[in-house]
Amino acid sequence: MSAIIGAKELSCFYGIVLGLYNVTFEIEPGITGLVGPNGAGKSTLIKLITGQLSPSSGALTVFGQSPLNNPDLLARIGYCPEREQVSKELKPLDWLRGLASLSGIPWRNTKSVAQRALSRAQLDPKHWEKRLGTYSKGMKQRVKLAQAIMHDPDLIVLDEPMNGLDPNGRSEFCDILKELHNQGKSILVSSHILHELEFLCSRFLILNWGRALASGSQSEIRNTVTEWSDELTIRCSDPKNLADHLEGQGLIRGYLVENGTLKLWVLNPETFFDNWPSFVSGSNVEIFEIKNSNQALTSLFDKMTK
């Protein structure tokens, strides 16, 4: 599968301030999560991808081309910025029609184009003629998404699109993005809401202090992390008996029994997961569910950015 975004020894400085330093990675089609704490370089990378910044050194390509001063390529990219800069007095339908006209769409067609974008962003039509100042945070995010997809781009770049949304709003927004992906769009989404990126994204790029720590699927990233013990949660018929059984084999460094559930810390994750059926077989305990907590994106991120 060919990469849609590629960086080779990419650096970007703001005077003496580091944005990105010597970053190399590839992003394949699909939904990719851009992960990192404040100051990691996420916004710098997004501005490079969308042609707003020029690399200080190295190379960045999108669909095999440099995005800098490349209007034909930028027409294939939709961008949803983190900050809102639109007047509260504007109505979304009017705003989108104006943007469509500026992009070269004949005025007579702008209304249908704007309406289609708002529908794809799943904003209720009863709100289309209301002023943006009356909108909730979730409704504003849908309008921002609508402007990003109005020209039907191949790549959608979203900078912290779920900031300020309540849990239901975030879940609905994730569903919208998954539907866009099902329609053939590739999506790069930056967010601090790590557990929802885990639910949404198939691949990740982890940045910290301007450097790329890892990229790939969650399992691929996990394989780059060494010398750490996994935390497991096990639902079973007799948690204490299972814990004693595993402890007797020298497989765990600690455990906690709580509300009928066993939480334990494994000394050697690779050995344990390769052989766990044989390890538990002599306990006469029925296993209902095993969850590997440290495979969660949050744990990976915390481990790699410490």
Side-chain angles (χ1 to χ4, degrees), residues 152-300:
D152 201 29
D154 298 312
L155 170 64
I156 304 169
V157 180
L158 310 170
D159 193 356
E160 301 285 356
M162 291 176 279
N163 253 1
L165 301 185
D166 60 29
N168 287 337
R170 292 196 295 267
S171 177
E172 292 171 356
F173 203 89
C174 286
D175 289 340
I176 296 171
L177 297 184
K178 286 190 288 186
E179 179 59 30
L180 288 168
H181 174 246
N182 291 338
Q183 296 169 10
K185 308 302 179 185
S186 288
I187 300 171
L188 177 65
V189 53
S190 165
S191 177
H192 294 292
I193 309 170
L194 302 182
H195 67 276
E196 285 172 358
L197 282 187
E198 182 182 13
F199 170 74
L200 175 66
C201 301
S202 57
R203 301 181 69 82
F204 306 91
L205 172 61
I206 298 180
L207 300 178
N208 194 32
W209 295 109
R211 294 179 179 270
L213 300 185
S215 64
S217 67
Q218 186 177 156
S219 61
E220 290 170 341
I221 293 174
R222 183 183 182 278
N223 289 337
T224 69
V225 182
T226 58
E227 298 179 359
W228 58 302
S229 296
D230 277 331
E231 176 186 307
L232 301 179
T233 301
I234 302 177
R235 288 197 306 110
C236 59
S237 59
D238 191 338
K240 183 64 169 63
N241 186 15
L242 179 60
D244 291 341
H245 180 76
L246 295 174
E247 190 173 41
Q249 299 179 72
L251 299 171
I252 61 177
R253 59 183 176 87
Y255 69 89
L256 175 67
V257 176
E258 189 174 44
N259 298 324
T261 299
L262 172 64
K263 180 180 289 187
L264 52 83
W265 290 266
V266 180
L267 285 171
N268 191 320
E270 290 73 21
T271 299
F272 184 87
F273 289 120
D274 285 343
N275 302 281
W276 74 269
S278 63
F279 290 151
V280 302
S281 62
S283 66
N284 296 318
V285 175
E286 186 176 1
I287 307 295
F288 305 125
E289 182 182 30
I290 297 179
K291 291 184 178 181
N292 182 1
S293 300
N294 271 5
Q295 282 186 342
L297 179 59
T298 301
S299 297
L300 291 174

